[in-house]
Amino acid sequence: LTLGEGGHVVDDRGAVSVVTLNRPEARNPLSLELIETLHRTISELGSNDCIRAIVITGAGTAFSSGHDLKELTSHRNDSDRGREFFAKTMNACSDLMLAVVSSPKPVIAAVNGIATAAGCQLVASCDLAVASQDARFAGNPLVTGPKHIRFYAGFTLRDTDGFALGTLASVLQLLKLPD
């Protein structure tokens, strides 16, 4: 078990590495630091010959609430009203999603709760999503993941909806996700 920078934990379980977003008190938001360190972690694990698969999950009751809005709004007092920080964060997030998509190892999202906005995009970037009974998905006006999963404004997918749509592998009772 390794505590990563930026609020994530890496737990190597033999050939599978489990990366846990670890800010449950804030619903595991994607801060710039977490985005950048997740990108490095995914790249490192992808090039590690001992690792055969990567699982991303969230601690607590949420997978991820998306971008860290407190962090983004804290830059509103910058001379450019936060535009540069916003652009840097969005570009880093895009780079992370591309790293997940292009990883030579399969990346699996183990979704244990709500995944919204950029958190939902992270799920959509993975090769496979496994959802608990408590999983919920909500996206921005239109989030098209690299795997062609689409989420529309005001449309929330539950684990059973995703299974029926063919977008999620729903293993409800077989997979025990952390509480």
Side-chain angles (χ1 to χ4, degrees):
L1 194 68
T2 307
L3 181 60
E5 307 164 40
H8 75 287
V9 175
V10 178
D11 182 10
D12 291 328
R13 300 179 187 179
V16 177
S17 190
V18 178
V19 178
T20 303
L21 308 180
N22 196 30
R23 282 186 55 207
E25 72 286 352
R27 295 185 180 244
N28 304 314
L30 299 174
S31 66
L32 177 59
E33 182 182 16
L34 178 57
I35 290 167
E36 291 174 341
T37 56
L38 274 177
H39 184 171
R40 280 194 302 275
T41 300
I42 296 297
S43 296
E44 290 168 8
L45 293 171
S47 64
N48 183 334
D49 292 336
C50 296
I51 300 298
R52 297 191 59 201
I54 303 165
V55 175
I56 302 174
T57 192
T61 60
F63 178 81
S64 174
S65 58
H67 289 294
D68 189 334
L69 298 180
K70 287 182 181 179
E71 179 181 63
L72 289 172
T73 58
S74 73
H75 287 271
R76 292 287 174 126
N77 292 328
D78 294 355
S79 61
D80 66 352
R81 303 201 64 226
R83 287 183 181 94
E84 183 179 334
F85 184 79
F86 181 86
K88 181 178 180 179
T89 301
M90 296 306 131
N91 288 331
C93 188
S94 178
D95 291 344
L96 167 62
M97 303 307 167
L98 290 173
V100 170
V101 169
S102 63
S103 175
K105 307 296 168 58
V107 182
I108 302 162
V111 185
N112 53 312
I114 189 78
T116 61
C120 190
Q121 186 179 7
L122 181 57
V123 173
S125 297
C126 292
D127 296 298
L128 179 68
V130 178
S132 77
Q133 289 180 315
D134 297 324
R136 301 290 180 268
F137 304 88
N140 292 331
L142 176 62
V143 177
T144 303
K147 301 296 183 190
H148 308 292
I149 300 173
R150 291 187 174 93
F151 298 93
Y152 298 93
F155 189 80
T156 302
L157 289 177
R158 297 159 77 152
D159 62 317
T160 52
D161 298 330
F163 184 76
L165 293 170
T167 58
L168 298 173
S170 182
V171 182
L172 302 176
Q173 298 300 325
L174 298 176
L175 179 66
K176 174 68 176 143
L177 295 174
D179 293 331

